[in-house]
Amino acid sequence: MHNPRRLLIQGGAAVLAAAMTVVAAVPAYAAAPANDTIAGAVAIGALPFSTTLDTTEATTEKSDAEANPAECGAPATDASVWYDLTLPADDIALVDVSASNYGAGVLVVTGDPGFFKFVACGPGAIAFAVTAGTTYHLMIIDDQQDGTGNGGDLQLSVTTAPPPPDLSVTVDPTGSFDKATGAAIIHGTATCTGQVDFGGILADVIQKVGRGVVYGFGETELACDGTTETWSITAIPSLGTKFAGGKTATVSLAYACGPVFCNESYQEYTVQLKHNG
């Protein structure tokens, strides 16, 4: 015969073991980051600064809404975390969260909660002027632009914004025109140096032909690889007109843009157009 007491003990042990298994299966949730609110903001006193942070348990609260005024109007301020930037000298700060694995955005304000003054905002990366001794509150958010989740792995970088690229442009004094199409072809050289994302040249070409005036426009991209490159633009004339041999006034605008700033070279040249160059 079975011993009832032994069966009861065995049954109780089995229930306890099952309960422990259930408890062990419950996942452990991470706590909200220490800088989840502005009161716990991480201080940044020198550049460059970089950090990583799991923001999946970060929350949103009243100060988040106050730091998202109409000037910015971010669609959401979920998973917000805070950093306080105070520098000893004037600077241009570049705040970049684009390497994060979620749609992260940045809002910048000064002042205290209830009296915030909006400075700048944007998705991915922003730049703004820093006045020495002023504290800038950086609120990093999940703006939900990727359409999923609450936060993720934040990759934050705060650096001094690079200066605008250096740019120099020349226009050759002699160009050409296509007798069949009436297009004007002008060319020259350009050099972009520094941190450059893209560059190009736009050209408005104006020529007096007989009693009339011919207008044309053309553009081209620049490689901006630090070397001196040759460029050529075919300016298409306005409907029903053609460029011809003789002098032509050209107004050229060259530009080169880095991560934050652009540089421009706007000059007017006189170019002699010849058939077939």
Side-chain angles (χ1 to χ4, degrees):
M1 294 180 64
H2 296 291
N3 186 331
R5 179 179 176 83
R6 184 176 180 182
L7 288 175
L8 179 61
I9 292 173
Q10 289 177 339
V15 170
L16 178 60
M20 291 179 67
T21 300
V22 171
V23 171
V26 175
Y29 291 96
N35 58 338
D36 185 37
T37 65
I38 191 171
V42 173
I44 304 173
L47 300 182
F49 171 87
S50 64
T51 190
T52 60
L53 183 67
D54 180 358
T55 66
T56 53
E57 295 303 316
T59 62
T60 185
E61 44 92 36
K62 182 180 178 181
S63 293
D64 297 6
E66 292 178 5
N68 182 27
E71 294 95 323
C72 183
T77 58
D78 297 339
S80 63
V81 289
W82 293 81
Y83 296 85
D84 280 353
L85 175 65
T86 310
L87 299 181
D90 293 353
D91 207 338
I92 304 292
L94 173 62
V95 182
D96 191 343
V97 293
S98 61
S100 305
N101 69 352
Y102 63 100
V106 184
L107 296 98
V108 183
V109 294
T110 57
D112 298 322
F115 302 93
F116 283 146
K117 182 178 180 181
F118 173 74
V119 176
C121 71
I126 63 169
F128 61 96
V130 173
T131 300
T134 298
T135 296
Y136 296 85
H137 307 297
L138 315 181
M139 183 174 69
I140 315 300
I141 64 170
D142 182 345
D143 59 18
Q144 302 294 317
Q145 302 246 359
D146 57 1
T148 61
N150 184 74
D153 294 327
L154 169 66
Q155 302 281 339
L156 170 64
S157 169
V158 187
T159 59
T160 295
D166 290 324
L167 175 66
S168 62
V169 179
T170 69
V171 176
D172 293 344
T174 301
S176 61
F177 69 96
D178 186 315
K179 194 171 183 180
T181 65
I185 300 94
I186 59 175
H187 37 79
T189 65
T191 307
C192 312
T193 57
Q195 193 169 345
V196 188
D197 287 349
F198 60 90
I201 295 178
L202 311 176
D204 287 313
V205 183
I206 306 170
Q207 183 185 42
K208 290 183 178 181
V209 177
R211 295 183 178 181
V213 178
V214 180
Y215 297 92
F217 173 80
E219 61 183 315
T220 188
E221 294 182 355
L222 295 175
C224 285
D225 57 5
T227 64
T228 298
E229 57 187 293
T230 59
W231 57 267
S232 178
I233 288 178
T234 299
I236 305 301
S238 52
L239 186 63
T241 63
K242 292 183 176 182
F243 289 104
K247 290 185 178 181
T248 300
T250 69
V251 179
S252 299
L253 171 64
Y255 60 90
C257 295
V260 179
F261 302 109
C262 294
N263 198 0
E264 296 180 348
S265 174
Y266 181 83
Q267 300 183 51
E268 184 173 338
Y269 304 87
T270 300
V271 177
Q272 181 78 31
L273 293 185
K274 296 183 179 180
H275 181 47
N276 294 327

